[in-house]
Structures are given as C-alpha cells and as structure tokens.
Amino acid sequence: MNPWRIVFHLLSAAALLFLIAPILAVIPLSFSSNSILSYPMPGLSLRWYESIASSSRWYVALANSMIIGISATAISVVLGTMASFGLARRSGPVAAAMRVLILSPMIVPIVLVAVALYLFLAPLQLTNTMTGMILAHTVIAVPFVVIPVLTAIEQLDGNMIRAAASCGARPWTAFRRVTVPSIAPSLASGALFAFAASFDDVVIALFVAGPNQRTLPREMYSSLRETISPELIAVATIMMIFSTALFLLMQNLQRRRRRMLQSAARS
C-alpha cells in the first residue's frame, strides 16, 4: 500500500477518535452501579435505566418532544415544499432575498431566533402553550426541508412532466404521479432533518415553553443545573442512540436518491 495512503488513514482514524472519544467515554457511566460519575466503575447495573422507566417526568417530557416534533415536522414539510416550488420557479434579487429570509433561522444564532420568537408569540399569548412551541419549532424546521427539496426540484427533469402532459395527464395527475415520487426521498430526508432539529432543541424551549410543555432536552437541562447523575447520562445515551438511528436513516434515503438520479441520468 502507498505510504501516503497509510498516513492518510492513520490521520483520519485519529481525527475520528478525537471527535467520538468524549461521547464513548461517557456512555459506559450510564451502566455504573455507583451514583458518582467516576472511573473505575465499582460494578455494572441497569438501575439508572430502570429509574428512567419508572419516572413519569421523563415520559411526559418524551411525549411532549414527540408531539411537538411530529407536528412541527408535518407543518414544515408542507410549508417548506410550497416554498421550494415557489423559489425554484423564480429568479432575480427578490427570489434570492426570499431564499435568504427562509434560511435565516439556520444562519442567525439560535439565541436571537429564540428571543425574536418570544417577542412575537408573547403578545399573542402563545408562550407557555403547546401551539406556541409547535409554531416556534416550525420556524427552525422549515429550512431543513427547503434545502433538500429545492435541490431535488431544481434537478428534476422537466421532460418527464412534459411527457406526462403529452400523454394526457392533467397537471395535478402529473404532479401526484411524476413530481412527488421523484422528490419523495428528498421530502423524507428533509422531514427527518426537521424532526431532528425540533427534537434536539433546548434554547427555544427555554424561552417559549412553560412547565407543561417541557421537552426532553429542556428536562435534561433542568436536571443538569441540579446535579450530573448517571440517570441523566442514561437519558443522554438513549437520545444519542435515537439521533444516530435518525442519521443512518437519512444517509440511507440520500443514498437512494443518488441512485435514482444516476439511473435517471443513464436512461
């Protein structure tokens, strides 16, 4: 093997280890039988996972995260898809300004977004409500839908739609049977990104959520202010496994989309 290739692989492995080692070092502590986070562990135990399973506050926080995440994802997919079609069909400075405006929640620091959402929702009496949390998370989720869907629409072969129209398909039929299946992997990928953005948020929840809308990251943050316990590490481990599963699913969808584009280019 080429020596430079070996050096490249060693440097890549070192960089990967540097990034993932802090996470891997924490996960075993969630199985510690001791309440003090330290190595070496006196023994292995599932007591902290049993504590999570028997605690109603974690169930309520998880239910709130799922309700808010799924609702915000559904709304953001509809709004993001409509915005993507509008942006794909327009050009010029106005369209460019609209694109920057829609993507701004990804560019502006999340603290500023949270303050702006609080100032907007408070006069409408939507803070400390589930509706306010869903609307706030929709704002940060829409850009994650627009980016992949807009790219898919711009790469969509217009001849397919024209061929459907020449065969007698009405615009709605062509949209439903040609356009939507072509951009479906990007829609699914955007929906997963949007759900992950909502599920991981804690800053907006600090500003907008009330005691009855505490999400899982918000509950973890509150627990972190009191003490760092193995129970909190166990919750973090579950969230990491869930996020990793979402990431692998997104990678699979993107791989399918690339294969679809390659097969369309060859045909």
Side-chain angles (χ1 to χ4, degrees):
M1 182 180 289
N2 189 335
W4 289 110
R5 196 172 186 82
I6 296 175
V7 173
F8 172 75
H9 285 301
L10 290 175
L11 289 176
S12 300
L16 180 62
L17 182 64
F18 175 78
L19 293 174
I20 202 170
I23 298 175
L24 295 179
V26 167
I27 291 176
L29 293 174
S30 65
F31 298 97
S32 174
S33 60
N34 196 353
S35 59
I36 299 175
L37 298 175
S38 64
Y39 284 108
M41 296 187 298
L44 298 178
S45 173
L46 294 175
R47 57 179 290 199
W48 306 113
Y49 290 93
E50 294 173 354
S51 175
I52 294 171
S54 61
S55 175
S56 60
R57 65 169 181 147
W58 294 115
Y59 280 115
V60 172
L62 177 62
N64 286 337
S65 289
M66 296 301 291
I67 292 172
I68 294 169
I70 292 173
S71 301
T73 299
I75 298 173
S76 64
V77 166
V78 174
L79 296 179
T81 303
M82 294 171 64
S84 300
F85 276 102
L87 291 174
R89 294 175 180 176
R90 292 287 183 273
S91 60
V94 176
M98 289 299 297
R99 186 174 303 200
V100 173
L101 181 64
I102 293 174
L103 300 181
S104 59
M106 297 180 66
I107 303 169
V108 177
I110 189 64
V111 174
L112 296 181
V113 176
V115 172
L117 286 171
Y118 176 80
L119 295 177
F120 175 75
L121 295 174
L124 301 176
Q125 298 183 348
L126 289 175
T127 54
N128 301 335
T129 65
M130 193 66 82
T131 303
M133 279 293 292
I134 292 172
L135 293 176
H137 279 201
T138 300
V139 171
I140 62 170
V142 165
F144 291 95
V145 177
V146 169
I147 291 176
V149 174
L150 179 59
T151 303
I153 293 173
E154 290 176 342
Q155 294 177 347
L156 184 64
D157 188 359
N159 292 327
M160 296 172 62
I161 301 175
R162 284 190 284 272
S166 66
C167 293
R170 295 182 177 182
W172 169 247
T173 304
F175 174 78
R176 184 168 52 86
R177 305 190 66 172
V178 177
T179 304
V180 172
S182 299
I183 65 173
S186 298
L187 275 173
S189 177
L192 287 175
F193 274 117
F195 180 80
S198 171
F199 194 79
D200 290 340
D201 170 73
V202 64
V203 179
I204 290 178
L206 287 172
F207 281 84
V208 178
N212 296 326
Q213 298 85 40
R214 286 196 170 195
T215 59
L216 199 56
R218 174 74 171 83
E219 192 65 38
M220 291 177 64
Y221 178 80
S222 299
S223 301
L224 189 63
R225 296 179 63 182
E226 299 171 1
T227 180
I228 303 178
S229 67
E231 184 185 41
L232 190 61
I233 302 298
V235 176
T237 302
I238 294 173
M239 285 194 67
M240 280 188 285
I241 294 173
F242 183 72
S243 301
T244 304
L246 279 181
F247 175 76
L248 293 176
L249 187 56
M250 284 186 285
Q251 289 292 314
N252 186 37
L253 290 172
Q254 290 176 348
R255 198 177 304 115
R256 286 188 180 185
R257 181 174 177 274
R258 284 194 295 268
R259 290 175 182 170
M260 184 183 296
L261 291 174
Q262 290 172 356
S263 62
R266 285 195 294 267
S267 60

